[in-house]
Amino acid sequence: TEPLTRGIVIFGATGDLCKKKLIPALYKLWLKDLLPENFLILGCARREPTAEMWKESLGYYPDDFLHHLDYQCADLSMVETLRHLPDYIDDMTYFLSVPPERYADAITNLKEAGCLDDPETSRVVIEKPFGHDYKSADHLSALVARHLREKQVYRIDHYLGKDTVNNILATRFSNILLEPLWNRQYIEEIQIFATETIGCEGRSQYYETSGAVRDMLQNHILQVLALIAMEPPSRMSAKEVRREKTKVLAATRMSPSIVLGQYHDYRSEEGVNPDSTTPTYFAGTLFVDNWRWEGVPFNVMTGKKMPYGCVEVVIKLKAPPLKLYEGETNDRIVMRLQPNPHLDIRMDIKSPGLNNDLEEATLTHEYPQDRSVDGYEKLLYDAIEGNQAHFVHAEEVMESWRIVDDLLCEGDHCQIRTVPYIYMPKTWGPWKQVESITNWDYPA
């Protein structure tokens, strides 16, 4: 047989992420014949099962696929164990499916073991969160920069692997229809929703250290905002797309108009401090201080135990300069990213009949889901191929933490209120405070 020349090492291979997301995604790539020939998938963890025991723990896969899998005991905190990783692979991707507090040791020791010496043929994939706040993210970025080139670092935000999220750029930049409207001259407001109907569902202990700001706002929502607000890149390359996202995030600021919430009974869940001030909800206004968006509010809502769960962007256009009809409503462009993704353009038309009454017409395109791919499938494929377009640059991470840093303040010295208001499940948050932000277009 031909020698194995490319591969991926998954650290934390006995964990849930590997079993439920990574191996199934790699299997789908294999089924589509998108993995390189003789590709090695090496599971690594501190436990010492045999390769056969590890493969059995993953569930059923055909033997032809399992032929690509192997297992090796290795500890990211012990350099010597990393020196025994395969040295016959010409091009290797290292996936850190481990707790974030182990990232620093992992990168330092992989570099010391010689695994990351060649920036052209070695790379590290890092799961979110990248840091816990601005200060910790800055420290981790400095450590990574000491050991690796930026081209070797693949920071995952699984939202960026979703077809529907990537469709934002395709819809904006492959059509002339929207671009003339996409600015402060014609857009009154943009709303971004990322809501869930469920609570923490057994993840309360993790969520207690995270909360809505770290879990959703700092990463997923700000990435969607960047794709909506960024300038057209000069070409669709990783370098140029990430450059434009960084520029728009650098221009973004949080307004004082914000509300943090916590659903009733959160404090009674297992693993949660009875006096917890962890927010399970955020609503607030951000502004992008550049020529295109000056003065346009970006109103964001994310939370758990909401009446409806979805990820959706609503672009509310301004009213015509002269009102000629009774009952006019501002036009809307709605991008539903999940579930049942679709693009809506809503406008007024004349109702049939003798008078001049108006009714709303909606032009809808449902995004085809039969050909869509899982986020990890897309991101693993890109990482193996060395394409960073759908991964987050270090400067994007730092700008995102800068934007939300005031929301992470605790104690009496905070510039804004960060103690969450209590809200009842199946409501849109602490309504009295939330309704003062804007006239929300609640999804349904």
Side-chain angles (χ1 to χ4, degrees):
T1 60
E2 296 181 24
L4 295 165
T5 56
R6 300 174 74 184
I8 184 169
V9 177
I10 302 172
F11 292 101
T14 55
D16 276 354
L17 181 67
C18 179
K19 179 178 179 177
K20 294 179 180 178
K21 294 290 186 180
L22 305 183
I23 296 300
L26 289 166
Y27 176 59
K28 289 176 185 175
L29 291 174
W30 177 79
L31 285 175
K32 297 173 184 176
D33 204 24
L34 292 176
L35 290 181
E37 192 175 353
N38 294 320
F39 188 73
L40 172 67
I41 301 169
L42 181 65
C44 284
R46 288 181 286 191
R47 300 181 200 170
E48 297 189 11
T50 64
E52 289 307 312
M53 289 168 63
W54 177 63
K55 291 179 187 180
E56 286 176 12
S57 74
L58 299 174
Y60 173 77
Y61 291 98
D63 288 342
D64 285 352
F65 173 68
L66 293 175
H67 169 73
H68 293 271
L69 275 63
D70 201 358
Y71 182 87
Q72 186 171 326
C73 181
D75 188 339
L76 284 167
S77 62
M78 299 176 64
V79 177
E80 281 307 311
T81 66
L82 302 178
R83 297 190 199 278
H84 300 304
L85 293 175
D87 58 3
Y88 54 86
I89 303 295
D90 298 324
D91 186 292
M92 188 68 92
T93 301
Y94 298 92
F95 195 110
L96 303 184
S97 177
V98 297
E101 57 269 21
R102 297 184 63 199
Y103 290 164
D105 268 357
I107 290 167
T108 302
N109 292 334
L110 281 168
K111 180 68 174 179
E112 189 177 334
C115 299
L116 300 170
D117 289 345
D118 187 346
E120 302 299 328
T121 60
S122 62
R123 61 203 64 83
V124 177
V125 181
I126 303 175
E127 277 280 337
K128 82 170 185 75
F130 193 82
H132 193 67
D133 53 19
Y134 185 90
K135 186 177 180 179
S136 61
D138 189 42
H139 174 76
L140 185 54
S141 285
L143 181 140
V144 169
R146 282 200 301 273
H147 295 290
L148 301 175
R149 300 261 296 276
E150 178 62 26
K151 67 189 294 182
Q152 290 178 277
V153 187
Y154 290 67
R155 299 171 193 84
I156 273 194
D157 183 325
H158 70 261
Y159 261 44
L160 297 182
K162 294 178 181 289
D163 272 339
T164 51
V165 173
N166 293 313
N167 186 45
I168 293 173
L169 292 190
T171 301
R172 284 190 61 194
F173 299 137
S174 66
N175 302 292
I176 199 64
L177 178 67
L178 298 179
E179 179 58 25
L181 307 176
W182 216 260
N183 55 61
R184 60 188 171 87
Q185 309 280 353
Y186 295 97
I187 292 179
E188 182 177 86
E189 173 192 5
I190 292 176
Q191 297 183 6
I192 302 174
F193 295 91
T195 57
E196 298 175 277
T197 57
I198 61 171
C200 291
E201 305 296 300
R203 297 173 67 238
S204 301
Q205 194 166 0
Y206 157 76
Y207 200 82
E208 180 69 354
T209 64
S210 167
V213 174
R214 293 185 176 95
D215 191 49
M216 289 297 296
L217 179 61
Q218 181 270 334
N219 36 72
H220 303 326
I221 291 175
L222 286 180
Q223 283 295 317
V224 171
L225 183 149
L227 295 173
I228 289 291
M230 65 183 264
E231 294 297 317
S234 59
R235 62 185 67 86
M236 287 305 292
S237 68
K239 181 178 179 181
E240 297 304 326
V241 170
R242 301 202 306 174
R243 189 202 304 270
E244 295 301 337
K245 284 200 293 172
T246 301
K247 283 165 61 178
V248 81
L249 288 171
T252 301
R253 63 178 168 88
M254 190 75 64
S255 83
S257 181
I258 66 101
V259 176
L260 293 171
Q262 184 186 89
Y263 64 77
H264 181 64
D265 285 343
Y266 170 75
R267 294 178 183 178
S268 64
E269 296 187 10
E270 186 178 350
V272 174
N273 185 330
D275 301 316
S276 173
T277 57
T278 298
T280 62
Y281 174 93
F282 168 84
T285 304
L286 296 92
F287 288 100
V288 178
D289 295 329
N290 62 17
W291 278 28
R292 183 186 287 264
W293 297 113
E294 181 62 31
V296 177
F298 286 74
N299 290 309
V300 168
M301 180 183 290
T302 183
K304 291 186 175 293
K305 294 209 173 179
M306 300 276 98
Y308 189 82
C310 75
V311 180
E312 182 169 288
V313 181
V314 181
I315 294 96
K316 300 172 75 170
L317 300 178
K318 291 183 176 180
L322 183 63
K323 187 172 182 178
L324 299 176
Y325 293 89
E326 289 299 320
E328 289 181 8
T329 58
N330 293 24
D331 299 339
R332 306 277 199 276
I333 300 168
V334 180
M335 296 181 176
R336 168 68 63 85
L337 307 182
Q338 66 180 46
N340 306 317
H342 56 262
L343 172 69
D344 288 352
I345 299 178
R346 303 173 187 173
M347 62 181 68
D348 289 337
I349 62 170
K350 182 185 177 301
S351 292
L354 298 176
N355 53 26
N356 285 327
D357 290 345
L358 299 176
E359 63 182 58
E360 185 178 80
T362 302
L363 308 176
T364 298
H365 173 71
E366 294 187 1
Y367 192 79
Q369 297 183 73
D370 56 328
R371 289 172 282 136
S372 64
V373 297
D374 173 74
Y376 276 102
E377 187 181 342
K378 168 67 175 167
L379 293 170
L380 284 170
Y381 177 75
D382 283 353
I384 291 164
E385 294 297 320
N387 179 4
Q388 289 182 305
H390 301 104
F391 294 84
V392 183
H393 192 279
E395 292 181 10
E396 291 179 69
V397 172
M398 295 314 303
E399 292 296 349
S400 297
W401 281 119
R402 173 194 60 77
I403 292 165
V404 305
D405 211 39
D406 283 348
L407 299 175
L408 304 175
C409 177
E410 297 178 355
D412 299 330
H413 64 286
C414 302
Q415 296 181 9
I416 55 177
R417 175 179 168 135
T418 58
V419 177
Y421 295 92
I422 302 299
Y423 65 94
M424 298 305 293
K426 304 305 177 187
T427 66
W428 291 109
W431 69 269
K432 188 174 180 181
Q433 291 77 21
V434 172
E435 290 298 312
S436 67
I437 295 174
T438 189
N439 183 20
W440 296 94
D441 274 34
Y442 292 116

